Amino acid sequence: MAGCKGEEKKETKAANDSTQSQDGEEITVLLPPWYEEGLTAAIPDFEEKTGISVKLEIMEWDPLRDRIVQSCTSNKAPADITEFSWDWVGTFGAAGWYEPLNDYMDEDFWEDCLTKDSYLYEGNYLAVPIYNDFRMTYLNTKDFSEAGISEIPTDAFELLEAAEKIKEQGIEEYPVSLPLSATAGATTPWFMLTKSLGGELFDDNYKALFTEKDSAGYQAMEWIMKAYEEELVNPAAVDYQGTDIVDHYMNGDGSIDIAGWSGNVTEYFNADKSAISDSVEVVKVPGANGSSRTYSLLEGIGIPAASEHKEAAAEFIKYINTEEFLKTFFVDYGIFPSSQKVIDSLIESEDIPGGEVVSEVLGTIEPLFPQGAPEWYGTWEGETATIMNQMAKGEMSLEEGLKAIADSADELNEG
Amino acid sequence: MLLFLAGFVIIPLGVSIFDSFFQVSLLDVDSREFSGIQNYIRLFSDKNVRQAFLNTSFYVVTALTAESVLGILTAVVLKDKFRFRGIIVAILILPWALPPLVNGVIWKLIFDPSIGMLNSVLMRLELIEEPFIWLNNPDISKICVIIVHIWKMLPMISIIFMAKMQTIPEEILEAASLDGSGKFKQFFTMILPNMRGIFLITLIQGSIGAVHLFDEPYYMTGTASDTRSLLIEDYLIAFRKYDLGEGMALAMVISFSLLIMIVLLMILVRRGTKDV
């Protein structure tokens, strides 16, 4: 463990504070919608056990990030616990907006946590991973068998041909599911396919690698835009965010959720929630030449430095990181854990549908930026989503769009 | 009063103007570097800002036109007493009372291509054969946004017009009727000329409302360039690019453009009143 290795096992702040009671304190927790159901169910038990009351605030992804930035710039805590995405580490770390959590959690916790280093900033853990979100591809196998496709293609372009076949035969009007609204989620399928096709977005100096026709990034974008132009993707995708795609796919609209969330492995397979539970299958992300890669969009939770209830907030973080809670959080609500112990236990108890494939996919996860995420990633991601939205609406050609995305990165990189 | 003005208007305005000539990062607001008019030069050469300026100009022109025409018409209908008038006015005021974000949420659902009420009604009436994309269709997306904004602003504008119309003495209108002047003629020769003063207030309100458009387009279409308003662009510069200096510069451009627009409207309306 980078932050604690070699150090004498010290008494944690958590242990020190265990004698202090936060009874009667109220904390606010600010998170995106996918945590709402699971946390709402758990909060009464936490409140009863600790006497700390929890006010859960739910916001969509983009406004949530804006709210955090707005509050922190004026030295106010947006909440006592907030979402903390993997790509905010550099920016938020440099600004000193979040409390280091090294001493709030014990050493065993950090040792067991697979993805903790993503939150390391100058030796401090700025957040605790809560959702080990990586992307996989989900298929509605019923549509494939009805179209006479017995073997599921592992090549991205062959999968697109399979989608064309499904559409031609009238089995599914829009077989490919992906979002194309001007919101952050639109970029995920492109980033993921670029990795899966064997490429990178940038070189070591953050020069764009996706403008050449034979590059993986170019081909990945071509894949997406071709799918949209040929109406393999619902034309309404320009209005849809990532969460809309999940809802539609779960209702049976679409054959291929190309960049599905890891947590959907439980949602899609749950007969109470999903119309495709008996026919959905998870596969490795289709790539090229038999290879497959994906990337992680890790989410964590952190305590803003301006919070006035840090100890009580830490109690809540500890509560939702107990083995029992993490299992429930995954099995019932699809929040994929970062705890090695919990993942092993879930695989052993066969609680991960398609467990073997998921294990294989876990082995193909690579960082989106092997050279380190640039501080301007969040801004560039937003610009990229807007440009992809314009490309889908026919306001920019493929070449123009990719050039605009590359120019935007150059401009941000030059500061 | 002077202290109040200094504390809440003059000093913040002065700080904003001052900051607009500096390079200031939102991540480190204490360190700043003088950059002269560089922030302004960057703004005017930024195609996103130019597009947002065009979008906002469209919003202002269409909003002022529609709010004035529809506001007058609604006021004419509502100015006379009739049964259930009170209830109708109360219902009419509801859109204005809604927070802009809620307004955006409601209309996003109405315009939704898959489950939206609008497509469902149009398909039932057989006016369209398949679901239509409204909000992310570059041909009509701005119109959708401005319809939502007008829907919100119209009640207030109508009520202002109605209140003014009700101040015109009934006897004058009755006397005009006795002289053989029809309703149409009365409207153009007696009611409308009396409304010129109030027009200034509604036009200023309408301009401020249209320039301040943020929640509705942001919620309905995200940061899509064809609907992005100047305020959204300013927000993206200041809070996504963390460039507070350039953000301040754009805020100054927006504020002074609005000020010039208000002065022009005042001159136009006053000139019109003198002509009468």
Side-chain angles (χ1 to χ4, degrees):
Chain A
M1 194 190 70
C4 302
K5 231 174 212 174
E7 287 176 20
E8 199 176 316
K9 191 168 183 171
K10 58 188 171 194
E11 222 176 345
T12 63
K13 238 184 197 176
N16 285 335
D17 297 332
S18 63
T19 50
Q20 296 172 9
S21 171
Q22 282 87 37
D23 198 352
E25 278 195 58
E26 183 184 272
I27 57 167
T28 48
V29 179
L30 178 64
L31 290 170
W34 39 96
Y35 299 110
E36 185 172 17
E37 222 184 330
L39 290 185
T40 304
I43 284 170
D45 181 56
F46 171 77
E47 289 180 332
E48 199 186 315
K49 281 181 177 154
T50 61
I52 300 167
S53 31
V54 180
K55 193 177 156 205
L56 182 63
E57 283 183 49
I58 298 295
M59 287 181 94
E60 288 292 342
W61 187 260
D62 287 338
L64 182 144
R65 180 179 177 277
D66 295 342
R67 158 98 172 263
I68 292 172
V69 172
Q70 273 179 328
S71 298
C72 288
T73 47
S74 44
N75 290 323
K76 295 241 163 31
D80 298 299
I81 295 173
T82 76
E83 168 73 31
F84 199 124
S85 178
W86 65 275
D87 56 299
W88 301 348
V89 175
T91 318
F92 290 10
W97 287 344
Y98 276 76
E99 176 83 356
L101 298 180
N102 303 39
D103 296 339
Y104 284 95
M105 310 298 284
D106 64 31
E107 202 162 312
D108 289 341
F109 169 82
W110 291 118
E111 270 171 18
D112 178 53
C113 183
L114 284 172
T115 51
K116 59 185 180 295
D117 286 349
S118 298
Y119 287 107
L120 202 58
Y121 184 83
E122 294 182 350
N124 292 320
Y125 292 115
L126 298 184
V128 166
I130 183 172
Y131 188 179
N132 188 4
D133 181 24
F134 53 90
R135 298 305 162 111
M136 304 188 285
T137 298
Y138 294 90
L139 304 173
N140 186 346
T141 51
K142 193 166 147 268
D143 293 347
F144 283 77
S145 49
E146 278 180 25
I149 304 163
S150 51
E151 202 173 323
I152 304 288
T154 56
D155 179 279
F157 295 97
E158 284 173 18
L159 190 67
L160 205 58
E161 282 168 22
E164 282 165 7
K165 209 168 168 186
I166 291 169
K167 185 179 173 78
E168 276 163 20
Q169 294 187 24
I171 296 159
E172 184 66 49
E173 196 174 3
Y174 307 119
V176 180
S177 299
L178 51 86
L180 279 167
S181 64
T183 53
T187 58
T188 308
W190 180 48
F191 295 164
M192 188 201 70
L193 282 170
T194 300
K195 296 291 287 189
S196 187
L197 291 171
E200 300 294 345
L201 293 166
F202 297 101
D203 67 12
D204 288 345
N205 299 313
Y206 299 101
K207 285 281 167 208
L209 293 173
F210 46 78
T211 49
E212 298 297 324
K213 280 192 175 177
D214 58 351
S215 66
Y218 186 100
Q219 287 169 6
M221 188 66 90
E222 193 176 30
W223 192 100
I224 292 168
M225 292 305 154
K226 187 180 174 205
Y228 188 75
E229 275 165 30
E230 291 182 0
E231 295 202 355
L232 299 173
V233 174
N234 189 337
V238 286
D239 266 358
Y240 292 150
Q241 303 185 27
T243 44
D244 297 320
I245 295 299
V246 174
D247 292 341
H248 284 283
Y249 194 72
M250 211 147 58
N251 285 335
D253 300 332
S255 312
I256 305 160
D257 181 1
I258 189 72
W261 305 6
S262 56
N264 287 342
V265 81
T266 54
E267 302 287 290
Y268 290 167
F269 284 84
N270 183 340
D272 293 335
K273 295 179 178 176
S274 164
I276 51 164
S277 61
D278 55 349
S279 56
V280 70
E281 195 175 286
V282 57
V283 296
K284 284 199 282 184
V285 176
N289 308 319
S291 73
S292 172
R293 289 195 306 170
T294 188
Y295 77 103
S296 169
L297 293 118
L298 190 65
E299 287 179 34
I301 45 175
I303 303 176
S307 163
E308 289 174 2
H309 305 282
K310 292 191 184 80
E311 305 299 338
E315 284 301 313
F316 187 71
I317 292 179
K318 273 183 271 176
Y319 176 83
I320 63 170
N321 275 287
T322 53
E323 196 174 327
E324 188 191 356
F325 181 81
L326 287 174
K327 276 186 190 170
T328 310
F329 218 19
F330 172 72
V331 174
D332 294 345
Y333 307 105
I335 305 299
F336 204 94
S338 273
S339 157
Q340 182 67 67
K341 220 187 298 175
V342 175
I343 294 172
D344 291 345
S345 162
L346 286 167
I347 290 175
E348 200 181 308
S349 59
E350 295 182 351
D351 274 323
I352 301 183
E356 271 181 36
V357 178
V358 175
S359 287
E360 281 180 48
V361 176
L362 276 167
T364 66
I365 297 175
E366 289 189 15
L368 182 58
F369 297 99
Q371 64 279 61
E375 280 186 16
W376 43 263
Y377 170 75
T379 312
W380 179 73
E381 184 192 37
E383 294 267 325
T384 303
T386 304
I387 293 167
M388 285 181 71
N389 177 259
Q390 283 179 277
M391 289 160 79
K393 290 190 285 194
E395 294 177 311
M396 275 188 186
S397 67
L398 184 67
E399 280 77 15
E400 284 168 344
L402 286 168
K403 187 181 177 306
I405 294 170
D407 289 346
S408 161
D410 280 344
E411 194 188 317
L412 289 163
N413 201 23
E414 283 159 16
Chain B
M1 186 63 188
L2 197 65
L3 270 178
F4 180 85
L5 271 176
F8 291 99
V9 182
I10 298 167
I11 293 173
L13 186 66
V15 170
S16 304
I17 294 171
F18 185 74
D19 275 349
S20 72
F21 295 106
F22 284 80
Q23 261 195 323
V24 192
S25 166
L26 192 64
L27 303 175
D28 186 10
V29 286
D30 295 328
S31 92
R32 54 192 63 209
E33 199 181 313
F34 183 71
S35 61
I37 57 165
Q38 277 308 310
N39 286 332
Y40 289 90
I41 291 172
R42 278 218 305 274
L43 276 184
F44 291 113
S45 58
D46 185 336
K47 64 178 188 327
N48 287 336
V49 174
R50 289 200 299 268
Q51 179 63 45
F53 183 80
L54 288 174
N55 294 344
T56 298
S57 303
F58 172 85
Y59 293 145
V60 170
V61 171
T62 46
L64 290 189
T65 310
E67 284 163 13
S68 300
V69 173
L70 296 175
I72 289 274
L73 288 176
T74 314
V76 166
V77 172
L78 292 175
K79 79 177 169 56
D80 298 321
K81 282 185 183 161
F82 58 88
R83 214 175 166 196
F84 303 124
R85 178 169 159 262
I87 296 169
I88 290 170
V89 172
I91 294 171
L92 189 74
I93 207 83
L94 278 177
W96 180 63
L98 285 176
L101 187 67
V102 177
N103 201 19
V105 173
I106 292 171
W107 281 92
K108 188 169 196 280
L109 283 173
I110 291 172
F111 284 126
D112 188 286
S114 306
I115 55 160
M117 197 176 75
L118 186 59
N119 273 345
S120 160
V121 169
L122 292 176
M123 282 172 80
R124 255 183 223 167
L125 294 172
E126 295 182 355
L127 292 171
I128 54 172
E129 282 176 2
E130 51 185 37
F132 192 76
I133 295 165
W134 300 94
L135 296 178
N136 266 289
N137 180 339
D139 296 333
I140 54 165
S141 54
K142 275 197 279 290
I143 296 171
C144 292
V145 168
I146 205 61
I147 285 174
V148 174
H149 175 70
I150 293 166
W151 183 77
K152 182 177 167 54
M153 290 293 287
L154 192 60
M156 188 195 64
I157 304 285
S158 303
I159 282 168
I160 294 173
F161 281 139
M162 189 177 77
K164 178 66 185 170
M165 281 181 193
Q166 284 173 339
T167 64
I168 301 170
E170 200 61 35
E171 301 82 48
I172 296 178
L173 296 175
E174 277 171 16
S177 289
L178 290 172
D179 287 344
S181 168
K183 290 268 179 197
F184 197 69
K185 196 176 174 190
Q186 276 177 36
F187 176 76
F188 281 102
T189 58
M190 306 185 78
I191 297 177
L192 209 52
N194 258 298
M195 305 294 292
R196 284 177 191 261
I198 210 74
F199 256 120
L200 183 61
I201 295 170
T202 57
L203 288 174
I204 289 173
Q205 282 285 353
S207 308
I208 293 171
V211 172
H212 284 184
L213 252 181
F214 183 97
D215 295 79
E216 290 96 338
Y218 189 66
Y219 191 80
M220 294 196 312
T221 58
T223 55
S225 66
D226 46 313
T227 51
R228 193 187 288 185
S229 67
L230 270 174
L231 233 56
I232 293 178
E233 184 60 35
D234 195 21
Y235 186 75
L236 293 176
I237 291 172
F239 290 97
R240 290 279 175 86
K241 280 170 80 178
Y242 309 114
D243 192 339
L244 206 55
E246 198 178 322
M248 288 293 188
L250 183 53
M252 288 304 107
V253 171
I254 296 169
S255 304
F256 283 103
S257 306
L258 191 56
L259 199 66
I260 291 167
M261 204 189 317
I262 289 170
V263 171
L264 284 175
L265 286 171
M266 286 169 81
I267 293 168
L268 277 173
V269 173
R270 283 205 180 136
R271 189 175 289 168
T273 313
K274 271 182 196 162
D275 290 345
V276 173

